[in-house]
Amino acid sequence: MQKITQLRRYITVFSSTLVFMLTLASVATLFGQDEDAELRLRATPRVAFAPADFLFVGQIRGGSDYNEELYCLEIEWDWGDDTTSEQTLDCDPYEAGVTEIRRRFSVRHTYNYGGRYEVRLHLKQGDDVVISGRTRLEVRGVNRNLR
């Protein structure tokens, strides 16, 4: 009888702990408190001969689909060749629990000169960078510094 009472206590404590943990996870998702979101950037191809056209794909991995902080971001590409590109999206107003974030960003860029380049993708709200990613590539051929 004593073992059954003790077992019931363990089950009650375990159930309460589990409910508490699930509640915390739901609250974190509801309020966009996911710190697991990461922006990965890749270039295709990784190495090419000048002039070379590259495809860049940035993808947000992890985090909630409903994170307001990651909704309707301004996109800034730093090409590593002293040029940048920016894009501002036209988005509907955010609705908690309904509006999903955009997770994939892609664009092409041409390099006319040889060199090693570090490309950065910054996703911003105003002047604040919310999340960013980077990748490296190599263009073989005439270096602009030699011209």
Side-chain angles (χ1 to χ4, degrees):
M1 185 70 162
Q2 194 175 29
K3 287 186 179 187
I4 293 175
T5 304
Q6 194 174 26
L7 182 61
R8 285 184 183 158
R9 285 186 196 147
Y10 285 131
I11 291 172
T12 303
V13 169
F14 177 75
S15 299
S16 298
T17 303
L18 183 60
V19 167
F20 179 73
M21 290 171 59
L22 289 173
T23 302
L24 283 179
S26 298
V27 168
T29 301
L30 180 64
F31 291 104
Q33 298 299 320
D34 294 311
E35 295 181 18
D36 297 330
E38 155 185 38
L39 180 59
R40 294 188 183 172
L41 180 60
R42 71 176 195 270
T44 306
R46 305 275 301 166
V47 177
F49 288 94
D53 186 48
F54 287 82
L55 172 64
F56 295 91
V57 177
Q59 188 161 7
I60 297 175
R61 300 208 178 198
S64 170
D65 284 336
Y66 308 103
N67 187 338
E68 185 174 6
E69 185 178 64
L70 297 175
Y71 178 67
C72 199
L73 299 169
E74 296 169 28
I75 304 163
E76 179 183 86
W77 297 90
D78 180 344
W79 302 114
D81 61 358
D82 299 326
T83 65
T84 60
S85 300
E86 294 183 12
Q87 180 183 9
T88 302
L89 303 175
D90 184 25
C91 305
D92 291 329
Y94 180 81
E95 292 182 54
V98 175
T99 307
E100 290 189 19
I101 64 170
R102 179 175 171 185
R103 291 190 171 269
R104 190 171 190 279
F105 308 86
S106 62
V107 70
R108 292 188 170 277
H109 184 73
T110 301
Y111 291 88
N112 293 312
Y113 300 102
R116 291 190 175 129
Y117 299 93
E118 182 174 278
V119 177
R120 295 176 185 265
L121 170 58
H122 302 291
L123 301 179
K124 302 165 47 175
Q125 288 280 1
D127 292 333
D128 298 327
V129 175
V130 176
I131 192 169
S132 64
R134 65 184 178 149
T135 190
R136 293 189 176 120
L137 59 97
E138 182 178 349
V139 179
R140 296 182 181 164
V142 177
N143 187 311
R144 70 176 163 207
N145 296 329
L146 299 176
R147 296 197 101 198

